[in-house]
Amino acid sequence: MAASIALVDDDRNILTSVSIAMQAEGYVTRVYSDSEAALQAIVDNPPDLGIFDIKMPKMDGLELLRRVREKSNLPVIFLTSKDEELDEALGLAMGADDYIKKPFSQRLLIARVKSILRRLELTRDANQDQEVEGMEPLVRGELNMDPARHVVTWKGDNVTLTVTEFMILETLANRPGVVKSRNQLMDAAYQDDVYVDDRTIDSHIKRLRRKFREVDPDFDAIDTLYGAGYRYTE
């Protein structure tokens, strides 16, 4: 079955062009120029992925994401303007999986959509087949990661992560003590040579720490090595 994508933007030209591009790749698109109507539709009939503009009337993309996150862990890509760096950071901190600045190429957007959906498909396949090679649970100290079920716990408490967050943490935890550069983390979390800048990886790391500190204020298992990258310590 073709993946479904919810497109939410008050610019109808963008809705039309992105919808045509996604349909050409075989995706089913649902377009909304009203974010409030989009929220109800997404909650009632969740798509596989959402592409949200940040600046919209009535309810902006950040609020839409927050309210969607109350009901599901829907992966979301933000569309932002060049002067919306603060909003990008807020969006990533709230759980968006990626962002793309306007104006953007359709090729770049399609590549990022494919990357996120591919990782979701791998997770779903693993949920159906618990014997998938390389999907055994990963235990590092108080951390327990189950790739087959996309479940993460810290000291027995569940920590809800997006697909991108999971991939980054898994890359770090696979080799405790080994420093991973931002480029290595990008390669692990983003495929198809999709360009992601350093600040995106930094934002994901900050969000990982925040989520773990919500269940354990003393969490300090992810170290920053300035100028080098990040490492997981048991």
Side-chain angles (χ1 to χ4, degrees):
M1 182 180 296
S4 61
I5 301 174
L7 310 174
V8 189
D9 198 311
D10 60 323
D11 187 328
R12 292 185 180 275
N13 290 327
I14 290 179
L15 284 179
T16 299
S17 62
V18 172
S19 180
I20 291 173
M22 293 299 158
Q23 289 174 14
E25 294 295 322
Y27 300 122
V28 175
T29 59
R30 294 153 47 185
V31 300
Y32 307 94
S33 58
D34 184 308
S35 52
E36 293 181 343
L39 173 63
Q40 189 62 51
I42 289 171
V43 170
D44 291 345
N45 183 21
D48 294 293
L49 183 143
I51 299 176
F52 300 166
D53 184 29
I54 284 189
K55 294 297 184 184
M56 292 186 289
K58 297 183 180 178
M59 183 195 308
D60 65 19
L62 295 171
E63 178 64 12
L64 176 59
L65 174 63
R66 186 189 69 78
R67 295 178 66 175
V68 167
R69 279 281 181 267
E70 293 176 350
K71 303 293 184 179
S72 75
N73 205 33
L74 174 74
V76 169
I77 297 174
F78 268 137
L79 303 180
T80 73
S81 298
K82 288 184 177 180
D83 59 349
E84 294 173 356
E85 292 187 359
L86 177 59
D87 287 340
E88 290 166 6
L90 286 172
L92 289 171
M94 291 170 61
D97 290 82
D98 213 333
Y99 69 88
I100 295 180
K101 291 185 178 182
K102 298 178 182 178
F104 55 87
S105 73
Q106 301 289 4
R107 179 176 174 274
L108 174 62
L109 178 58
I110 290 169
R112 295 197 183 183
V113 166
K114 286 183 176 180
S115 180
I116 291 174
L117 291 178
R118 181 180 295 112
R119 283 176 277 145
L120 286 173
E121 188 62 30
L122 288 172
T123 300
R124 290 169 182 166
D125 288 346
N127 284 335
Q128 297 173 3
D129 183 2
Q130 298 302 310
E131 302 302 321
V132 175
E133 184 179 356
M135 300 297 285
E136 296 82 6
L138 174 66
V139 180
R140 295 287 186 266
E142 301 290 353
L143 175 69
N144 191 307
M145 302 185 71
D146 187 344
R149 298 180 177 84
H150 193 79
V151 172
V152 178
T153 62
W154 177 262
K155 295 184 178 179
D157 292 322
N158 287 324
V159 182
T160 301
L161 302 182
T162 66
V163 174
T164 303
E165 293 165 355
F166 192 100
M167 297 289 283
I168 291 173
L169 179 60
E170 185 179 33
T171 300
L172 292 170
N174 264 324
R175 301 191 65 189
V178 176
V179 178
K180 294 290 185 179
S181 69
R182 290 175 177 82
N183 285 338
Q184 289 174 314
L185 296 177
M186 290 176 197
D187 290 341
Y190 297 90
Q191 300 176 8
D192 300 321
D193 296 322
V194 176
Y195 173 76
V196 182
D197 64 30
D198 287 358
R199 193 167 58 79
T200 301
I201 296 299
D202 292 343
S203 293
H204 285 308
I205 293 291
K206 290 177 182 178
R207 195 163 80 239
L208 275 168
R209 287 172 173 151
R210 177 178 57 79
K211 288 186 174 183
F212 276 90
R213 285 169 181 163
E214 286 175 355
V215 301
D216 178 8
D218 296 323
F219 174 83
D220 62 354
I222 300 176
D223 291 337
T224 299
L225 286 302
Y226 293 100
Y230 299 94
R231 70 182 173 194
Y232 181 85
T233 57
E234 293 186 80

